Amino acid sequence: MSQPGVLLDRDGTIIVDSGYVGSVDRVEFIDGAIAAIAALNRAGVPVAVVTNQAGVARGYYGIADVEQVHKHMIAEMARHGAHVDLWLFCPYHPDGIVEAFARRSADRKPGPGMALAAGEALDLDLSASWVVGDSPADVGLARAVGAKPLHVGPPGSAVMGVDAFPDLAAAVRFILGGDTAPAPEQQKAPKFPAAKFHRADSYGGAYVAELARAFATVDLEQVSRAAKILNAAYDRDSAVFACGNGGSASIANHLQCDHVKGVRNGTGVTTRVQSLSTNVELFSAIANDLGYEHVFEYQLQSQARPGDVLIVISSSGRSPNIVRALDWATAHDMPTIALTGFAGGPARRRAEVSIHVGSANYGVVEDAHQACMHLLAQYVRQSRMTPDAVVSQTF
């Protein structure tokens, strides 16, 4: 019978992440980490370490150095009655300078490779297992294999929507049932930017890092549910309506383009998708005569039918016209999908499917929403093509 297990990140979770730890003299165990692993051992819970070691690809140290570090850690843990059942590491990185390791790999987190290997070697039920780590890549790994992600690290570093703990010891207490996790709604996305930058390249690097962190907070199961709603709507020839304000309006308009033109390309599927944000004459007439809060709801009243789909895009999730449209659609038997950010607001709670981005920066949230919009359209398109057609088409 498969059993639940715990997959642990290494640097920042078990030992201090001082940057590319490739020698024994740089190994410093985090307080309580060895005792936490010993507690898992006593409870009969299999433990695997899954760690990215891009330092090999970047030429900072070699495979033998990683193995020596692990040998040292094994000995030190054994002195305190703890052990790890399986050690896995990924030495690959596409930007590496060591030719043998300078490539992409499904083993590199958030890719699923190491988790799948651990599951097979230790006979784990990954859907009942935990992945514990300090980075968005660990959260991504958990979501890639259906495991439960747990974040460890200082306050403000957590991934929105993921149970967060100060260290591995606290996370293990939760796993073993001796502690409770903080309520997700009490977690706040870290402020970005948190300080002034004096160079655009520095800001650019920080922005990309924040975008990666924020996108890792997206629950991909919600994306899968959204894709099923869209495919089902196209199967029954239902209409899909999209709406948003400001930058979110442009995403709604772009969504119409990708689903009417893009999805049809190579599939022959004709979809009825409409952005409620695009008709300035109708939009402004409703806003002027009835009020801005009615601009989307009023259009739905005239054009939507039960079984049609509503997609709302709202960074705050609080815009009255968005919330009114969601409420009207729900009351009239329309499946609803919301793309939100910040705390998510009423839109996050009221939509049937909520694709939430845990960031408090409008640009980052909108960039992530745009990516979600694109990946949904591309997924729907390729799901209606033959394997040969997918390979031959440009996406």
Side-chain angles (χ1 to χ4, degrees), residues 263-276:
V263 169
R264 184 174 175 179
N265 187 18
T267 69
V269 176
T270 53
T271 63
R272 295 189 294 118
V273 181
Q274 180 177 336
S275 171
L276 303 177

Side-chain angles (χ1 to χ4, degrees), residues 25-268:
D25 62 293
R26 299 188 63 199
V27 174
E28 179 185 355
F29 282 91
I30 295 172
D31 289 345
I34 295 178
I37 294 171
L40 292 171
N41 299 152
R42 289 192 299 272
V45 179
V47 179
V49 166
V50 289
T51 175
N52 286 344
Q53 291 298 316
V56 175
R58 295 185 184 278
Y60 299 149
Y61 47 80
I63 293 287
D65 297 309
V66 178
E67 293 173 341
Q68 193 64 30
V69 165
H70 289 173
K71 182 178 179 180
H72 170 76
M73 292 177 66
I74 290 167
E76 188 65 20
M77 285 189 283
R79 291 180 57 243
H80 296 85
H83 70 271
V84 168
D85 298 287
L86 182 66
W87 293 80
L88 297 171
F89 66 93
C90 177
Y92 303 103
H93 194 288
D95 297 329
I97 62 171
V98 179
E99 185 176 357
F101 303 105
R103 65 174 177 83
R104 299 185 184 278
S105 171
D107 289 339
R108 180 171 171 77
K109 296 182 292 186
M114 288 191 287
L116 294 175
E120 182 175 356
L122 300 177
D123 193 22
L124 302 180
D125 178 356
L126 291 175
S127 66
S129 297
W130 294 266
V131 175
V132 185
D134 68 327
S135 78
D138 299 305
V139 175
L141 171 65
R143 289 177 171 160
V145 298
K148 170 72 172 178
L150 300 180
H151 182 276
V152 295
S157 66
V159 174
M160 283 287 288
V162 174
D163 290 335
F165 303 88
D167 51 31
L168 179 57
V172 167
R173 287 195 297 272
F174 170 73
I175 291 171
L176 297 179
D179 207 346
T180 58
E185 59 268 20
Q186 294 177 352
Q187 300 176 17
K188 292 185 178 180
K191 186 181 185 308
F192 178 82
K196 183 177 180 179
F197 287 75
H198 296 282
R199 289 180 56 91
D201 55 349
S202 298
Y203 191 85
Y207 187 96
V208 169
E210 169 61 11
L211 180 58
R213 185 205 64 77
F215 199 85
T217 69
V218 175
D219 184 348
L220 296 181
E221 175 59 29
Q222 296 295 307
V223 174
S224 181
R225 291 180 62 199
K228 290 177 182 177
I229 287 175
L230 289 170
N231 262 328
Y234 298 152
D235 287 342
R236 62 177 181 266
D237 194 31
S238 294
V240 174
F241 298 93
C243 61
N245 298 289
S248 298
S250 70
I251 298 173
N253 295 348
H254 196 150
L255 185 150
Q256 178 178 351
C257 173
D258 278 22
H259 283 259
V260 173
K261 171 63 169 61
V263 169
R264 184 174 175 179
N265 187 18
T267 69

